[in-house]
Amino acid sequence: MIPLTITIREAEEDDLGKVMAINRAELPENYPYGFFHFIWKKWKRYFLVAEYNGEVVGYLMSMVDSRNPLVPPSAEIRKYIESGKKVSHLLSIAVLKKYQGMGIGSGLLKEYLRRLAEDGFDISYLEVRVSNTKAIRLYEKFGYKRVRVLPFYYLDGEDAYLMVKEIDEGGVGGWQV
C-alpha cells in the first residue's frame, strides 16, 4: 500500500460545509453552521483540516479559553485560566471513516499541539466519551491525562473524561515538534 500524502492546513471558510458533513457523518455531537463559523472566524490558527487529493477528509476545531469563555470550563480548567495560564480547548476532531487508521488524526493533533507550543500555550484540554477507547488512546499517546469523569456530559447521557495536557516547548507528548 502506498502511503497517503496528506496536507494539514488552516481551514478556509469554503471548507466549513465539508467539515460539518464530516462532523455529522462521524460524530454523535453535531453543531449548527453558526458555531463552526464563529470558531473558525475567531480562532482560525487552531481550526485545521486534513486534505487528500484536494478533498477535506478530516478536521480539528479548537478555541482559546479566557476569563469569559464561550463554553464554561470545569473547576479544574478554571483554576488554570484564573492563574493566567494560556489555555486551549480542543472542541472536536474527526476523520472520514474510510481514512481512519492512517495517521490523519495524529497528524492533525500533532500540528495543533505544535502551534500551541509555538504560541506559548500552557494547557490543552478536551472532553471525550468514556466509551471512545480509540480516541482516548490517541490522546494518551500525545500526553493527555484523564483528570476526572464528567457525569452525563453528553446529550444522550454518556459520561465524558476530562483530559488535560501540559504543553512543553520541546515536543508534543512523545512527538518532537
Side-chain angles (χ1 to χ4, degrees):
M1 182 170 132
I2 300 171
L4 299 180
T5 302
I6 302 294
T7 302
I8 307 247
R9 61 171 174 79
E10 286 180 29
E12 298 170 3
E13 190 168 13
D14 289 347
D15 297 322
L16 296 181
K18 183 62 176 175
V19 166
M20 283 186 68
I22 294 168
N23 173 260
R24 290 186 195 283
E26 304 303 336
L27 297 175
E29 302 78 47
N30 301 139
Y31 310 103
Y33 176 83
F35 183 74
F36 285 98
H37 190 265
F38 177 81
I39 299 295
W40 169 79
K41 192 166 183 122
K42 191 153 174 66
W43 296 289
K44 289 178 188 172
R45 181 156 165 78
Y46 313 108
F47 197 133
L48 306 173
V49 294
E51 198 174 55
Y52 173 65
N53 281 345
E55 178 190 2
V56 174
V57 299
Y59 76 91
L60 181 149
M61 177 174 67
S62 159
M63 62 181 259
V64 175
D65 262 331
S66 63
R67 292 189 184 272
N68 297 305
L70 177 66
V71 180
S74 67
E76 292 90 351
I77 302 305
R78 215 170 18 259
K79 76 177 179 185
Y80 290 119
I81 295 168
E82 289 169 357
S83 72
K85 300 261 187 211
K86 205 166 174 187
V87 177
S88 178
H89 185 181
L90 198 166
L91 296 167
S92 182
I93 182 172
V95 174
L96 286 173
K97 192 165 297 307
K98 77 182 211 177
Y99 295 99
Q100 291 177 9
M102 299 179 180
I104 296 170
S106 289
L108 285 162
L109 200 49
K110 183 177 180 182
E111 177 60 16
Y112 163 68
L113 292 170
R114 186 196 68 75
R115 287 171 183 236
L116 292 184
E118 184 177 281
D119 295 349
F121 278 79
D122 301 297
I123 301 292
S124 171
Y125 76 97
L126 58 90
E127 300 84 12
V128 61
R129 288 177 176 273
V130 295
S131 64
N132 194 344
T133 55
K134 191 174 173 184
I136 293 165
R137 277 194 309 271
L138 173 67
Y139 299 137
E140 288 177 340
K141 179 172 95 174
F142 279 88
Y144 284 86
K145 306 276 187 242
R146 296 179 219 187
V147 173
R148 75 177 175 100
V149 173
L150 303 170
F152 308 106
Y153 182 82
Y154 293 100
L155 288 176
D156 64 4
E158 185 172 353
D159 297 345
Y161 286 122
L162 171 64
M163 298 185 78
V164 176
K165 175 182 176 36
E166 292 190 28
I167 309 298
D168 59 13
E169 293 177 24
V172 288
W175 300 80
Q176 290 303 311
V177 182

